[in-house]
Amino acid sequence: MTAQRTYIAIWLALLVLTGITWGVSYLDLGLGNAAAALAIASLKAALVALYFMHLRNEGRLVWAFALFPLGFLALIIFGTLSDTLFR
Amino acid sequence: MTDHATDTSPADRGYLTDKGFRSWALTLDHKRIGVLYLFTTLFFFLVGGVIALLMRLELLTPGPSLMNDHTYNVLFTLHGAIMIFLFIIPGIPSGLGNFFIPLLIGARDVAFPRLNLLSYWVFIGGIVVILASLVSPMDTGWTFYTPYSAKTGAAVATLSFGIFLVGMSSILTGLNFIVTTHRLRAPGLTWMRLPLFIWGMYATSIIQVLATPVVGITFLLLAAERLFGVGFFDPAKGGDPLLFQHFFWFYSHPVVYVMILPAMGIISEVIPVFSRKAIFGYRAIAYSSLAIAFIGFLVWGHHMFVSGMSPVAGVIFSFLTFFVAVPTGVKVFNWIATLYRGSITFESPMLYALTFIFLFIIGGLTGPFLGALATNVHLHDTYFVVAHFHYTMMGGTVMGLFAGLHYWFPKMTGRMLNETVAKLAWAVTFVGFNATFFVMFIMGYHGMPRRYAEYLPKYHADNVFATAGSWILAVGVAIMFANFVWGMLRGEKAGANPWRGLTLEWQTPSPPPTENFEEIPTVTDWPYGYGKKVVCR
Ligand code: HEM
Ligand SMILES: [Cu+2]
């Protein structure tokens, strides 16, 4: 029961965050627009992973395997930026 | 001894007992799935090989002879794409890996047998899509560089979708192996007692899981650009053509280690068995696999030095590239130290393993010439690069695969190969390989560009030499395959442990029963304690 209530709460939170993303797109924040959209999207992804994908209840090994790819994402972004920033 | 029994009782045929299409197509047995992969990938090795022979024939003379330039472009694209995506990436991991990982860790199957079967059929699905793309064959090279690949009339979207599927299959296999290694090791089989082939495959699987999604998504972006005109890579639409290369090599450099690490694992199994000596520096070899997997992710930009990438990035990538050589050197050193004062015998698996070391050193030592920024500018896109990657991929990985096939043939089929024929095939292959590819270092150094159907007359002699070599090579490989077929049908009965190995796969009959082991073995020592009893470290 409580588990279901959590899921519904998370689902509502995701909907609200989607709404905020949509709202923010109407403001003119310059670079801030992209930053806000990415921040909200990351938050949503984190909620999904933690609750819907049960990462919250997993052991350290699973956490390690889940966080590892984020490191690689950072790597590819920084590697590519090291090129585009200095071109 | 020599009753090459034609009347094999069902009991001796182990996992091969069941017959018929369904028993293979729907099998959940990792060994059968491994065999399916081996047959499929080796078939494409032959297809890719035939295409290569055609290309070499065209290059026999400086001018156009056999085919027009467009056909040549199609052929080198097909040769590269087939060899890379349908043979060398899936070959050892999905073929020998599927067959031997559970046997080597004392398990009854992989962790997810159904997923395993699914990944085989996804692989076949990918192949079907790739074949469908032949209606208007690709001419972009296996690297699909934009902007050309976004504009050519060929079926780029179809082919890249096929490779996307093949990649999915590769991810599923890698995932399966990681979980299998973590969860299904026999009692007592600690991480520090794992056979080194398992370490190699574990590192490989991590790369497959982390890198393959990147190329999958890149190909989807390319398809979106072609089909819907979205501007990811086209500067006119706000895209960046170099972005494609960054994404492509972020996958494709690490993936050269998907090609080479499993082969290195095989070498680490074969060398101790045929020198009757404990492997030297077990831990160093095990950890260097992980180190190679990790550093492999940092150096992709060394493929892009002359692409117009920023000089700053070029310097960084060149610097980082040299670090890959360290763990690779550790491995080579340890193999040679294992050989030192061993009781070496030269059965066919050992001949191929030593060939691996010899050719891989040549391939590896020519890497720094390409990795150093200054020399790369001279050597980029010349035959020097072609020689370099054929020495590492064919001289390395393929020789490692051949070593593994000869080493494990008795286990897989229950029969022995003809050693004399195997040695003959090895000798011819060795001569043919070096005749074909060594001159390419020289041609490349003298400036002959790669990917051209024609060349200046001054390269004629070199090319004649290489083409002649390619035919010697083909004869060697043909003898080897004939020996495989003969061995499967007529070879002498092998017995459980013909090489007197200490790893677990030799503790069960050949061919193994469907359940692998009558009783799951308990491991009390590491698998390299030849001669004296070695205290596990
Ligand atoms: C371990 C096995 C290896 C394999 C299977 C391999 C494979 C390849 C392949 C397929 C290419 C051709 C890419 C193209 O079409 O442009 C290539 C190029 C290259 N390789 Fe390797 N390689 C290996 C090891 C190394 C090492 C150890 C180094 C450096 C220390 C290295 C440095 C390079 C560089 C810099 C290029 C780019 C050359 C150019 O485009 O000018 N490789 N390699
Ligand atoms: Cu590379």
Side-chain angles (χ1 to χ4, degrees), chain B residues 114-145:
Chain B
R114 274 166 218 286
L115 188 69
N116 205 11
L117 181 64
L118 176 72
S119 67
Y120 178 71
W121 285 107
V122 171
F123 180 58
I124 295 294
I127 292 176
V128 171
V129 175
I130 290 172
L131 292 181
S133 79
L134 289 181
V135 288
S136 72
M138 283 252 302
D139 56 353
T140 62
W142 73 277
T143 51
F144 301 66
Y145 277 2

Side-chain angles (χ1 to χ4, degrees), chain B residues 249 252-254 256-257 299-300 302-303:
Chain B
W249 287 112
S252 294
H253 186 79
V256 303
Y257 302 107
V299 301
W300 75 88
H302 66 208
H303 296 270

Side-chain angles (χ1 to χ4, degrees), chain B residues 289-372:
Chain B
S289 295
L290 295 180
I292 288 175
F294 179 73
I295 303 173
F297 274 101
L298 305 179
V299 301
W300 75 88
H302 66 208
H303 296 270
M304 300 166 59
F305 291 150
V306 301
S307 65
M309 185 174 63
S310 77
V312 174
V315 170
I316 295 173
F317 280 119
S318 176
F319 179 73
L320 290 174
T321 296
F322 284 87
F323 283 105
V324 192
V326 177
T328 315
V330 166
K331 275 188 199 290
V332 174
F333 174 77
N334 283 309
W335 291 324
I336 293 174
T338 306
L339 292 169
Y340 177 66
R341 294 204 162 175
S343 318
I344 300 173
T345 51
F346 295 98
E347 287 93 341
S348 50
M350 183 64 158
L351 286 178
Y352 281 108
L354 295 175
T355 310
F356 172 102
I357 299 180
F358 177 73
L359 298 180
F360 184 74
I361 288 178
I362 298 179
L365 285 181
T366 50
F369 293 89
L370 297 167

Side-chain angles (χ1 to χ4, degrees), chain A:
Chain A
M1 253 305 100
T2 48
Q4 264 164 28
R5 212 173 290 157
T6 322
Y7 288 147
I8 293 174
I10 297 297
W11 176 58
L12 289 175
L14 289 173
L15 285 181
V16 172
L17 286 170
T18 309
I20 297 179
T21 312
W22 170 74
V24 169
S25 73
Y26 282 94
L27 307 176
D28 186 8
L29 305 174
L31 254 185
N33 279 104
L38 284 174
I40 299 173
S42 312
L43 183 59
K44 286 163 72 178
L47 285 177
V48 171
L50 284 173
Y51 289 91
F52 290 164
M53 300 173 87
H54 303 259
L55 192 58
R56 214 165 54 105
N57 310 318
E58 290 294 350
R60 257 190 291 166
L61 186 65
V62 176
W63 268 91
F65 271 85
L67 289 181
F68 216 42
L70 288 184
F72 280 87
L73 184 64
L75 191 67
I76 192 176
I77 292 176
F78 281 121
T80 314
L81 279 185
S82 79
D83 171 18
T84 41
L85 287 184
F86 294 99
R87 224 185 271 160

